[in-house]
Amino acid sequence: MTVPFHSDKHRYVGGNAERIDALDKVTGAAQYVHDMAVPRMLFGRMKLSPHAHARIVRIDTSKAEALPGVRAVLVGSELDTRLGLYMIDKFILARDVVRYQGEAVAAVAAESEDIARRACELIEIDYEPLPAIFDPEVALADGALLVHPDLHTYRYMKGVFFPRAHSNVAHHQKIRKGDVDKGFAEAYRVFEHKFTNPPVAHAPLETHVTIAQYLPGSRAQIWTSAQSPFTVRNLFAVAFGLPHNSIRVQIPYVGGGFGGKAGIHLEPLAWCLSRKAGGRPVKITATREEEINTLPSRQGLKTHIKTGVTRDGKITGLKVQFLWDAGAYADYGVNIGRAAATSGAGPYEVPNCWIDSLVVYTNKVFGTAYRGFGHLEVLWGVERNLDLIARDLGIDPYELRMRNVLRAGALTITGEKVTANHGRPDLCLEKVAQEIGFENRPKEPVDPKKLPLRGKVRGKGVALLQKAPAMPVFTACSAIIKFNEDASVNVLISGVDYGQGTYTMLRQVVAQELSVPLDKVQVVFDCDTATQPYDWQTVASRFTVMGGNACIEAAHDCIAQLKHVAGQVLRAPENELICEDERVFVRHTPEQSLSYREIVLGYTYPNGNSIGGPIVGRGRYIAQGLTHLHPETGQGKAALDWTYGAHGVEIEVDLETGDIEIVHIASAFDVGKVLHEGMCRTQVQGGVIQGLGSALLEGFVFNDKGRMLNPSFVDYKLLTAKDLPRKMSAFFVETPQLDGPYGARGIGEHPMVSVPGAIGNALRDALGIDFHDLPLNSERVYLALKRARTAKA
Amino acid sequence: MEYDVRITVNGERYQARVPASLTLLRMLREVLHLTGTKEGCSIGECGACSVILDGKLVNACMVLAVECDGSVVRTVEGEGAMDKLSDLQQAFVDNHALQCGFCTPGMLMAARELLERKPDPTDDDIIEAMAGQICRCTGYETAIEAVRRVARKGQAGGGK
C-alpha cells in the first residue's frame, strides 16, 4: 500500500472553489432577518425629528395609543440608557433635545406595518427649534453652540480617546514624530493644501432590520442583521445592566454591511418595545430613507495639509489637521479619527510629523465605520497633495512617490519599524503604473483654456494606499471545529460573513489543515452568541488573519486529538503518526492506519471497549503586541498588519458635460498570500466600484436648515452596470506576513481606498485643473472647466 | 377594500383576499411566504424585487396585487428545479457573481427575462438589462460575465 504523504489531494489554499453560500443565495433559500417572522410578532416603527436641532417641548401619544392594533408606544423620557461603542453618547430615543434631522424621537409597536406607520403619524410633538451647527470648522470656534453640553459627564473608553470638555470635540488624536518645525526649516519649499469629503451612505441592499423579544426574567432574544453578534450582546448587556448569558443574539444571512452594521443599532429599541408590549417580539425594518437619514453614515472630513519637501521631493515635514464631521453622535466615529490619523501620512516615510485629528460634533446624521474606516477620506487628501507638490517641483508623480514610499527599515509616523515582511507598496505602484502605461503618457502640462469646447480628453493618475485593522489592543477571536458521525466537520466562528467570502476561504483552510475534502467542511452561517465562541467584531479587514489563525489552531487541536486516540489503537507514538486524506497513518508502516470516521466520536475495539470520545477542536487568536498609543504623541503599535496597495487609472473626460469615464483601472495589493483567488479578485472588483462611487457620485446634500435633501435612491445614486470601467484589472503581490495564516493579510476594505485620489490625479492630468473636493461628479467638473476657461490669465 | 386575487406563481395557483393597497411584492412575501424576492427601497429604484409578470420584468414593489388577478408570475424560487440549478444560477455560482446575495434574486430575474426576450444578447443588451439592478457588493462584472456565458452557450432556458 502506498500512502501519498504530502500529496496535493487536499491542497485548497490559493484555489478558487465555489462560494459556500452560493447555492442558498441563487435559489432564494437564503434567509435574512428581512425575511423572518416569528409567532405573535409585532411591527415597530420610528417617529423621526424634522429638525436638525430642537428642544422637545411636548409629546402627546394619546391618539397613537388609541389606534386599534397599537400595542406599545415609547418616548425617550421612558428610556434613560445611553449607547455607544467607544463614546457612550446616544440615547435609544432622543430625550429633551433632538440633534439631527432624522433622529428617532418616539416609536410604536403594532399588529401591522400599516398600523404602526399610522400610529407614528398620530404622535404629536411640539419642538422649539434651536440654532444648529453643520460645519465642523464652525463647531470648533470659540463660543460655538454645544451639540453635547454634557459631554464632560459621558462615559467613554478612557486612555484611548480624549474628548474635550465643554466643546464639540469628541476626540482629539495627536500624532507627533520628530520636530515638524525643523522639518519645515529644512525644506526647499513648503506647500499647503485643503481637501474635503462629504458624508456618504453605506447603502447595503438589506437595510438594518432586527427582531427582538423581551423574555421573562429580563432576558433578551435578538435576531438581527448585524456584523458583530458579540458586540451587539456586550453593548446591550452593558446598556441594560444584564448578565451576558441572559442575552442571545442570532445573525442569519446578512444583506451587506460595509461597516454600517458594526456596533449596535436598532436592537435595544426593538427590545424595549417588546418589553412594553408584554414580551411580544417586535420587528423593526428600517426604510431606505431611515437607512440613509436615521442610521449612521460615513463621516465627512476636512483636511488641511502642510508639507515641507526638499528640492528633489523628499518629504521633510508634514503637519496635518483632520476635522471629522462626526454628526450628532460620535459613538463609533471617535475611533475613525484615531485610526485614520495613524495613516495620516499615507505609506510614506515622513521624518517629522504633526497630526491633529479632531472628531467634531455637528447637527447632522451621525457617522460610523464604513469600509476603509477613514482611509478613503484621508488618502484622498494625501494622494492629491503629492501630485500637487510633484507638479510644482517638476517631478514625475510616480517618481515622487517612489522617493518617499515606506521601505524596510523606515519608521512609520507612529514609530513602528517597517520590516521586509511588512509588504511592498512600491511593487504595487510599479505594477499599476506599468499596466496603465503611466510612463508613456504625454508629459506636457495641459492648459484648460486651450481645451476644445467639445470632445473628449484622456488623463492618467496613480495613487498609493495602506490600511491596518483598527481595533482595541485586546481584540480576540476563537473557533470551534466539531466532528460529525461521517467525519465531516462544522466550523463555529463568530465573525459574520455578510458577503465578503471569508467563510468560503476558511473552508479551504480547514479542509487543507485536516486533509479532508472541501465538502466535508461546513462553516456554520447562523452566528449565535449562545452556541458559538467569542469574536470581537467583523470589521477592519481583520477576519482573514484572526479567523484564519483561529481556525488553523482549532484544526491542529483536532489533529492532536485524532493522533492521541489513533496512537493508542495503532500502538505508535503520536509523533510517528500522519493525518492525511481522512486517515491517520503510522509513518513507517502506512498499512497501519485508521479512518477519521473510526475515531472522531470515539474508537471502539473489537471486544466493545471504547476510548476517546467526540473530537472538538478549539482555536483562538488574540492580536499580538499591540499597544495603546501615547496620548500626547500617538506613538505605539496600533497595527496588527498593514495591507498596502495602489491604483492606476486612465480616464476620459467629456469636455462638454464634465462626465468622467473610466477607461482602465488597475489595482494591486500586497495581500501576503492569496488564500482564495476568486474571493480576493471579487473583493477588489466590488471594492473598486464602491470606491468609484465615492469618487464620482456619492455625498449627502443638506439644506441650510440641516435637512438632508437626498435620502433615497432617487436622489442618492449608486453606480450601476452601465457605469463600469471599460477595463478593470487586479494584481496581487505576495510578501508573506509572518503571523498571518499562510502569510496572508486582509483585503476587505482596501480596494476602495485611494480610488478617488487616483481619479483626481488623472483628472488633473487630463484637464490641467486641480480638484480638492469630492465627489468628482459631472457638475463639479463641468463648472470647474467653465471657470478655468473664463478665468483671466 | 379587499379583493380576491387569483395568481399563478412559479406554476402554482394561489388565491388570496388582499387589501387594495397591497403590492405584489408584499403579497409574494407576506401572503404567499415567497421571501426570495427582496425589498431594497420600495420605490422602484433598486431592482431587488424584480419578478417576471406575464413575461415582463417588473419591480414588484410598484405593482398592486389586485392588478395581477389572473396573471402568471415568476420569481427566483421558480428559477431552476429542486436540486437542479438553472444554467443562469449555475453561472452565477461558477462566477462568484454574488456576495451578500440580497440583490441576487432580482438580478437572476432580470437576466432570465433578457435571455427569453433575446436569447443571443450583445454585451450592451446585457448591461442594459442589468442596469436596473443595484448591487453594492460585487461591482456587477461577475454577474454580467455570468449572463454572457449563458448567452454564449446559446441554450438559455431553465433547469426544468
Side-chain angles (χ1 to χ4, degrees), chain A residues 122 376 424 499 750 769 780:
Chain A
L122 292 173
L376 179 141
R424 297 286 300 275
H750 308 79
I769 302 174
R780 191 185 300 281

Side-chain angles (χ1 to χ4, degrees), chain A residues 149-452:
Chain A
D150 298 330
L151 175 60
H152 58 287
T153 66
Y154 292 178
R155 287 182 300 129
Y156 62 95
M157 191 185 270
K158 294 212 166 58
V160 179
F161 298 105
F162 304 97
R164 205 183 280 165
H166 312 294
S167 83
N168 287 311
V169 177
H171 174 52
H172 181 182
Q173 179 68 46
K174 298 175 187 172
I175 308 270
R176 309 283 187 258
K177 180 192 174 193
D179 179 345
V180 77
D181 291 329
K182 180 170 146 276
F184 290 143
E186 288 168 4
Y188 160 65
R189 282 187 63 183
V190 176
F191 297 88
E192 286 196 53
H193 294 293
K194 290 184 173 183
F195 305 92
T196 69
N197 301 67
V200 307
H202 302 78
L205 260 282
E206 183 190 36
T207 60
H208 281 69
V209 50
T210 192
I211 302 171
Q213 183 168 16
Y214 178 92
L215 294 172
S218 207
R219 291 174 301 137
Q221 168 66 48
I222 296 165
W223 293 272
T224 187
S225 181
Q227 291 178 210
S228 312
F230 283 89
T231 287
V232 170
R233 189 182 74 165
N234 185 46
L235 297 181
F236 197 98
V238 171
F240 294 106
L242 300 176
H244 284 71
N245 64 5
S246 69
I247 302 155
R248 184 174 190 177
V249 179
Q250 287 175 267
I251 300 183
Y253 283 115
V254 175
F258 314 112
K261 292 175 183 170
I264 190 164
H265 298 284
L266 297 173
E267 298 86 358
L269 178 60
W271 187 71
C272 291
L273 281 169
S274 171
R275 182 172 60 187
K276 198 160 182 192
R280 288 181 65 179
V282 174
K283 181 176 188 176
I284 304 178
T285 309
T287 63
R288 179 55 59 187
E289 190 163 336
E290 289 164 348
E291 181 68 27
I292 297 175
N293 201 1
T294 296
L295 288 148
S297 65
R298 186 168 82 196
Q299 302 181 126
L301 175 65
K302 287 187 164 187
T303 301
H304 182 174
I305 309 186
K306 188 174 169 188
T307 318
V309 287
T310 63
R311 190 185 286 266
D312 59 0
K314 283 285 282 181
I315 298 169
T316 59
L318 189 74
K319 189 167 188 178
V320 192
Q321 187 191 53
F322 294 119
L323 283 189
W324 299 91
D325 187 350
Y329 300 98
D331 155 16
Y332 207 141
V334 286
N335 199 33
I336 297 164
R338 183 191 71 90
T342 68
S343 276
Y348 302 101
E349 185 170 17
V350 175
N352 303 294
C353 184
W354 174 296
I355 295 177
D356 289 309
S357 181
L358 299 158
V359 181
V360 185
Y361 287 120
T362 61
N363 291 114
K364 291 194 287 204
V365 62
F366 63 114
T368 193
Y370 181 158
R371 192 177 195 175
F373 211 61
H375 284 61
L376 179 141
E377 301 91 296
V378 160
L379 282 151
W380 158 243
V382 168
E383 288 298 312
R384 280 264 53 231
N385 182 50
L386 285 180
D387 262 45
L388 286 157
I389 293 170
R391 185 196 62 229
D392 282 359
L393 293 179
I395 299 175
D396 188 273
Y398 174 87
E399 189 51 40
L400 184 85
R401 285 179 171 81
M402 283 301 191
R403 286 178 194 173
N404 289 288
V405 72
L406 284 177
R407 296 177 195 272
L411 277 188
T412 69
I413 58 170
T414 56
E416 186 181 344
K417 188 157 191 183
V418 177
T419 72
N421 292 96
H422 260 66
R424 297 286 300 275
D426 55 325
L427 294 183
C428 295
L429 180 61
E430 191 182 307
K431 184 65 192 167
V432 300
Q434 215 172 51
E435 278 302 307
I436 63 161
F438 192 66
E439 179 64 24
N440 305 325
R441 74 195 193 285
K443 302 287 194 326
E444 206 51 38
V446 174
D447 179 354
K449 283 183 180 311
K450 294 186 183 150
L451 287 169

Side-chain angles (χ1 to χ4, degrees), chain A residues 510-551:
Chain A
V510 171
Q512 178 161 325
E513 290 294 330
L514 294 176
S515 196
V516 301
L518 270 186
D519 62 13
K520 283 280 182 76
V521 179
Q522 188 62 43
V523 186
V524 177
F525 252 89
D526 270 38
C527 272
D528 183 341
T529 56
T531 56
Q532 269 157 310
Y534 175 83
D535 190 356
W536 172 65
Q537 287 217 81
T538 324
V539 296
S541 310
R542 59 170 274 283
F543 194 27
T544 290
V545 170
M546 301 194 76
N549 282 337
C551 280

Side-chain angles (χ1 to χ4, degrees), chain A residues 16-19 21-23 25-28 30 32 34-35 113-114 117 201-207 254-256 258 288 370-371 498-500 676 678-679 681-683 685-687 689-690 698 712-714 716-722 724 728, chain B residues 19 21-22 26 29-30 35-43 45-48 76-79 85 88-90 92-105 108 126-128 130-142 144:
Chain A
N16 190 27
E18 74 180 44
R19 292 184 65 104
D21 50 350
L23 199 57
K25 288 177 176 176
V26 298
T27 55
Y32 302 77
H34 181 63
D35 305 324
E113 281 276 358
D114 296 336
R117 186 174 291 116
H202 302 78
L205 260 282
E206 183 190 36
T207 60
V254 175
F258 314 112
R288 179 55 59 187
Y370 181 158
R371 192 177 195 175
Y498 41 94
Q500 70 276 43
H676 186 296
M679 296 304 100
R681 176 170 38 84
T682 53
Q683 278 302 292
Q685 284 176 346
I689 297 301
Q690 215 172 99
E698 296 183 40
S712 78
F713 283 163
V714 175
Y716 190 99
K717 288 296 183 196
L718 304 177
L719 292 183
T720 73
K722 280 186 169 175
L724 294 190
M728 291 176 74
Chain B
S21 61
L22 195 79
R26 289 185 60 186
R29 289 177 53 81
E30 295 167 24
T35 55
T37 306
K38 307 301 185 201
E39 178 176 311
C41 71
S42 80
I43 55 171
E45 285 289 325
C46 77
V76 69
E77 288 94 343
E79 176 75 18
L85 296 181
L88 257 180
Q89 289 171 319
Q90 189 62 52
F92 268 59
V93 173
D94 293 343
N95 283 282
H96 309 308
L98 55 94
Q99 289 183 24
C100 86
F102 205 77
C103 73
T104 310
L108 286 166
I126 296 171
I127 289 167
E128 183 70 35
M130 304 302 271
Q133 311 297 316
I134 297 283
C135 172
R136 191 57 153 171
C137 299
T138 65
Y140 307 104
E141 186 55 43
T142 48
I144 292 168

